[in-house]
Amino acid sequence: MPVDLKELAAYCDDYLAIDAVGDFTVNGLQVEGRPEVGRIVSGVTACQALLDEAVADGADLVLVHHGYFWKGEDPALVGMKGRRVRTLMQADMSLLAYHLPLDRHPVVGNNAELARVLGVGATEPFGELGGAAIGLGGSLAEARDPAEFVAGVDDALATRSLHVAGPQAAIRRVALCSGGAPDLVAEAAEAGYDLYLTGESNERATHMAREMGIHFVAAGHHATERLGAPALGAHLAERFGLGHRFVDIPNPA
């Protein structure tokens, strides 16, 4: 049975506690389509390729981590942005987007899912952004060789990581923050973690990692954030009896 769009959006807003963290974008319903939802297509970013897949799929709702309307962005719906919104509106499809609230959710969040697939247990909040902890820190079941652990990251996430080696011959304590959070390497080192994993690097993160004595891994922004949207989509499908398909639009960044 289809569910009311506003009811579904309100449930997601509450489930993901969108008011608990400041953000750089609008979390929740960004584009309103038909009033009932029976089928969801989820993805990482509301790019044109994902929207085209959703139209072909007959979806009522597109659910993503990276939506539109970022702070400081030109609000004019022209060019690429205009085509994207026009695709949604012509198909009468809605767009539901959750950024930091989806990164930090303890069950379906990007970081919770990263911890699960990488075997990081006994997790606790780590890495403050927007007035709330976004990432997670925890421990491996047993100490691991750093190179072996990074190879396992690459296999699990289908990615190719950048690894700045630290002094530890074996790692046990691991901190995670999906996406673009390289500067949190300093917080991870100060907290005594052996390795910090995020999506992106920057020039200063390498020096910070070397000088503060911690392994630093940048596994790709897309690769570290492709787990939350399908997990949330699957949760909604089960709870409301909806159809759901995750579409991964490859992105090496």
Side-chain angles (χ1 to χ4, degrees):
M1 288 284 292
V3 63
D4 181 80
L5 170 65
K6 298 292 182 65
E7 177 187 345
L8 183 66
Y11 173 82
C12 289
D13 290 354
D14 181 65
Y15 182 63
L16 296 174
I18 64 171
D19 294 329
V21 59
D23 212 334
F24 321 110
T25 184
V26 178
N27 285 295
L29 187 61
Q30 293 191 341
V31 178
E32 183 177 352
R34 47 188 165 270
E36 291 189 330
V37 176
R39 182 157 183 80
I40 298 171
V41 162
S42 65
V44 179
T45 299
C47 61
Q48 189 65 48
L50 179 66
L51 301 182
D52 291 342
E53 285 280 349
V55 171
D57 190 87
D60 305 299
L61 174 77
V62 179
L63 173 68
V64 296
H65 179 50
H66 299 136
Y68 308 149
F69 312 116
W70 300 90
K71 290 182 180 177
E73 183 181 67
D74 186 344
L77 297 179
V78 298
M80 177 189 74
K81 290 172 61 179
R83 287 191 297 274
R84 290 177 174 182
V85 173
R86 187 160 54 249
T87 298
L88 286 161
M89 300 193 76
Q90 287 178 341
D92 207 14
M93 285 191 310
S94 299
L95 177 64
L96 198 57
Y98 295 97
H99 186 229
L100 296 183
L102 185 56
D103 283 320
R104 68 187 297 268
H105 192 270
V107 178
V108 299
N110 284 314
N111 289 303
E113 285 288 287
L114 274 177
R116 179 183 63 80
V117 300
L118 299 181
V120 179
T123 57
E124 59 186 8
F126 162 82
E128 184 174 316
L129 184 63
I134 301 300
L136 292 172
S139 300
L140 304 174
E142 58 184 30
R144 298 277 304 279
D145 174 81
E148 288 181 1
F149 178 78
V150 175
V153 169
D154 287 354
D155 287 343
L157 303 183
T159 190
R160 188 171 183 177
S161 298
L162 178 153
H163 177 204
V164 178
Q168 298 89 341
I171 59 169
R172 185 72 179 267
R173 298 190 68 220
V174 175
L176 309 166
C177 192
S178 60
D183 289 342
L184 288 179
V185 66
E187 185 174 331
E190 290 169 351
Y193 288 100
D194 303 311
L195 181 145
Y196 172 60
L197 183 146
T198 187
E200 297 180 9
S201 183
N202 59 25
E203 193 274 342
R204 60 184 172 272
T206 293
H207 299 296
M208 293 163 69
R210 288 171 176 167
E211 294 175 34
M212 298 184 77
I214 186 172
H215 289 270
F216 173 75
V217 177
H221 196 129
H222 180 81
T224 59
E225 295 192 331
R226 65 154 65 98
L227 300 173
L232 177 58
H235 170 78
L236 297 175
E238 181 177 1
R239 181 176 179 87
F240 293 98
L242 306 175
H244 167 247
R245 181 167 74 102
F246 172 67
V247 176
D248 186 28
I249 305 299
N251 187 336

